[in-house]
Amino acid sequence: MTQEAYQAQHKKRLSYMPWLYFTLKPKLLAWAKPWQEEVQAQFMALETVSFGKNCFISPDTNLFAEPTRGIIIGDQCMLAADSFMHGPITLGNEVAINHGCSFDGGSAGITIGDQTRIANNVTIYAFNHGMHPDTPIYQQSASSKGVIIGKDVWIGAQAAIVDGVTIGDSAVIGMNATITKDVPEYAIMAGNPAKVIGDRRDKV
């Protein structure tokens, strides 16, 4: 195996398992860090995106951020491959977005707090269409209230979060859950529509 082929495969591995970037030894960081600097510089040149310190951003993440719909990413965040993110979106520090997620900030935006972990194929849409029966849905105006996700939240794979929802700090959202109402701090949620099934503070 050539060095070029090894690095290409390792880049793909990191793109789908970005937490591995933060465990790389100096020998691997020697090529991985300049690669990441180049990836992030290209995104910033093309879109209204800013990155904090020591982030990992897969080049196969799809970031779209017009000047009025920017994306702000805090320190030590990780964004995996095949995700779609359309601003306005703000990520705190140490936020992880796994592969295949789909986020659209509408006009009011999505805000995600520090140390929140979001598993693969999660959808968050901070807008909604009108549903008046006399007009085709695609011709109706969209409304946007925004989505706020607190700190230290864990959102399981394939969960869905609708516009207008606030998820409190330290909550846990189960796999395939659909969040249609505000979630209290520390609540464990499951189902469609999701309901409280426990409290994280009891898991000691």
Side-chain angles (χ1 to χ4, degrees):
M1 179 186 295
T2 66
Q3 184 72 6
E4 185 177 85
Y6 170 81
Q7 288 187 9
Q9 182 64 14
H10 211 101
K11 288 176 180 179
K12 185 181 293 186
R13 175 179 279 101
L14 292 171
S15 287
Y16 282 92
M17 296 180 283
W19 56 89
L20 297 176
Y21 178 76
F22 300 96
T23 65
L24 292 179
K25 295 180 180 179
K27 181 180 178 180
L28 298 179
L29 274 176
W31 60 260
K33 188 173 181 180
W35 166 58
Q36 269 301 294
E37 290 171 350
E38 181 181 351
V39 167
Q40 293 172 38
Q42 184 171 12
F43 275 124
M44 288 189 289
L46 297 172
E47 300 287 343
T48 309
V49 180
S50 64
F51 301 101
K53 299 175 182 177
N54 197 30
C55 291
F56 178 90
I57 312 297
S58 168
D60 297 317
T61 298
N62 299 290
L63 302 179
F64 301 103
E66 296 81 26
T68 58
R69 298 185 64 160
I71 296 176
I72 301 169
I73 296 173
D75 298 341
Q76 285 188 262
C77 290
M78 57 183 89
L79 276 60
D82 300 334
S83 286
F84 161 82
M85 297 178 67
H86 184 203
I89 297 172
T90 300
L91 307 185
N93 299 325
E94 301 178 62
V95 175
I97 309 296
N98 277 278
H99 63 274
C101 291
S102 183
F103 300 170
D104 194 304
S107 61
I110 297 168
T111 301
I112 301 174
D114 296 347
Q115 299 180 326
T116 284
R117 291 307 201 242
I118 299 180
N120 63 290
N121 296 103
V122 169
T123 55
I124 305 174
Y125 295 110
F127 71 94
N128 220 330
H129 287 287
M131 293 185 284
H132 195 282
D134 295 337
T135 306
I137 283 179
Y138 81 94
Q139 293 180 355
Q140 298 190 39
S141 298
S143 61
S144 180
K145 299 176 182 178
V147 172
I148 299 173
I149 299 172
K151 299 177 182 179
D152 187 34
V153 173
W154 178 18
I155 300 178
Q158 301 179 49
I161 300 168
V162 304
D163 185 35
V165 163
T166 295
I167 297 177
D169 294 347
S170 305
V172 176
I173 309 302
M175 184 182 292
N176 290 311
T178 299
I179 305 299
T180 60
K181 296 180 180 179
D182 290 353
V183 175
E185 293 183 357
Y186 294 96
I188 301 172
M189 308 290 292
N192 181 6
K195 297 179 180 179
V196 177
I197 62 166
D199 190 300
R200 185 173 161 190
R201 289 167 291 194
D202 296 332
K203 303 295 183 180
V204 295

